[in-house]
């Protein structure tokens, strides 16, 4: 059973461009989470999705960031008009069920660099 | 406001047991206790979780106090690969993982 897949592993964007980060959850997992880790800082929750629905987006910046988890295909985290402050490692995780009861498995992350 | 309290750092000798403490005096009856760790330059990794009873898996053991106000993660034989930041996290309902500062474990060969 393959683990959580994220691609690309490294992404370089110029200021003002768009960044699309993809996450394929583990087989059988319908809950997906996105976290961000800024340089030298801790992990911060961004958004929690369950097939086609956003369950909790309390950690998402109000502008330029969006996430989706369509019925078919990977979850996508989209950052429009990137700025230098968006440079960070973005981790995706998945679980079989609600986070209280089920463990989350993390992907290797996408390291975004904005130049 | 932090729901758990952990020491900032701990040190262990290789191949010796390690006991990582976590205080959660305001835990509610439905909160699960989760432990994750993050190795340098890697994503977080699930370690173990439990509700009331002690739990064992291939990675570690989780000892939960009878009043549930504290717990201890036990690594039975520390290896160099166990050097990481360990996070003790309480989860209830659909709340996401909230990573605090954790305990940085150093393992000495």
């Amino acid at each position: 059973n393959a683990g959580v897949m994220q691609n690309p592993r490294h992404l370089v964007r110029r200021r003002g461009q768009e960044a699309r980060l993809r996450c394929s959850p583990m087989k059988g997992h319908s809950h997906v989470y996105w976290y961000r880790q800024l340089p030298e800082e801790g992990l911060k929750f961004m958004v929690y999705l369950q097939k086609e629905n956003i369950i909790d987006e309390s950690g998402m910046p109000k502008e330029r960031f969006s996430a989706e988890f369509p019925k078919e295909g990977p979850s996508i985290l989209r950052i429009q008009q990137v700025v230098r402050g968006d440079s960070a490692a973005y981790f995706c995780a998945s679980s079989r069920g609600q986070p209280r009861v089920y463990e989350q498995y993390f992907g290797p992350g996408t390291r975004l660099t904005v130049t | 406001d932090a729901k758990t309290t952990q020491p900032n750092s701990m040190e262990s000798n290789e191949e010796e047991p390690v006991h990582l403490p976590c205080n959660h005096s305001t835990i509610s009856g439905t909160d699960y206790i989760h432990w994750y760790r993050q190795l340098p330059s890697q994503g977080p990794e699930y370690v173990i979780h439990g509700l009331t009873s002690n739990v064992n898996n291939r990675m570690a053991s989780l000892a939960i106090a009878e009043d549930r106000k504290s717990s201890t993660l036990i690594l039975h034989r520390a290896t160099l690969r166990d050097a990481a930041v360990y996070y003790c996290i309480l989860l209830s309902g659909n709340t996401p993982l909230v990573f605090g500062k954790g305990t940085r474990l150093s393992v000495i060969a």
Side-chain angles (χ1 to χ4, degrees):
Chain A
N1 188 7
V4 177
M5 312 282 283
Q6 288 188 251
N7 66 79
R9 295 289 304 275
H10 299 273
L11 182 61
V12 179
R13 284 286 177 266
R14 290 201 178 107
R15 278 179 298 169
Q17 291 184 320
E18 179 179 287
R20 279 185 182 237
L21 287 61
R22 293 176 201 78
C23 170
S24 296
M26 287 180 68
K27 188 176 179 181
H29 287 195
S30 59
H31 298 243
V32 164
Y33 316 82
W34 286 92
Y35 297 84
R36 177 167 69 171
Q37 189 164 32
L38 294 166
E40 306 303 321
E41 291 191 20
L43 285 147
K44 302 288 185 195
F45 165 77
M46 298 181 76
V47 63
Y48 165 23
L49 309 106
Q50 184 185 0
K51 279 297 182 183
E52 300 184 277
N53 293 309
I54 295 176
I55 307 300
D56 182 349
E57 56 181 348
S58 59
M60 285 280 268
K62 293 286 182 280
E63 297 176 349
R64 302 187 296 108
F65 285 72
S66 63
E68 62 176 11
F69 187 19
K71 190 176 179 182
E72 302 290 337
S75 175
I76 306 286
L77 179 68
R78 184 180 175 209
I79 311 172
Q80 295 178 289
Q81 299 175 322
V82 296
V83 301
R84 288 226 171 98
D86 297 331
S87 296
Y90 292 81
F91 294 100
C92 167
S94 72
S95 67
R96 276 189 296 150
Q98 60 172 303
R100 182 173 70 100
V101 179
Y102 294 92
E103 61 272 26
Q104 295 180 28
Y105 292 92
F106 283 78
T110 293
R111 277 146 183 87
L112 173 66
T113 302
V114 180
T115 61
Chain B
D1 50 327
K3 294 171 69 174
T4 64
T5 304
Q6 299 177 252
N8 289 334
S9 62
M10 290 185 65
E11 205 171 76
S12 172
N13 293 319
E14 199 177 9
E15 298 193 7
E16 291 193 356
V18 183
H19 291 232
L20 296 162
C22 181
N23 288 322
H24 29 78
S25 58
T26 60
I27 191 169
S28 73
T30 56
D31 284 344
Y32 276 71
I33 303 160
H34 285 245
W35 284 82
Y36 286 79
R37 71 181 185 181
Q38 187 172 23
L39 280 64
S41 301
Q42 294 190 30
E45 179 182 29
Y46 166 76
V47 179
I48 200 166
H49 75 290
L51 182 60
T52 56
S53 304
N54 294 343
V55 185
N56 298 298
N57 66 20
R58 64 176 180 80
M59 284 182 70
S61 296
L62 177 59
I64 301 173
E66 202 168 323
D67 64 4
R68 300 212 322 130
K69 293 186 177 185
S70 66
S71 60
T72 303
L73 177 70
I74 303 165
L75 305 179
H76 296 286
R77 286 181 69 226
T79 69
L80 295 177
R81 196 198 171 275
D82 292 321
V85 180
Y86 287 78
Y87 299 95
C88 168
I89 303 170
L90 301 185
L91 287 179
S92 58
N94 277 335
T95 56
L97 290 171
V98 177
F99 290 86
K101 295 194 184 304
T103 297
R104 184 174 297 277
L105 175 67
S106 302
V107 180
I108 302 166

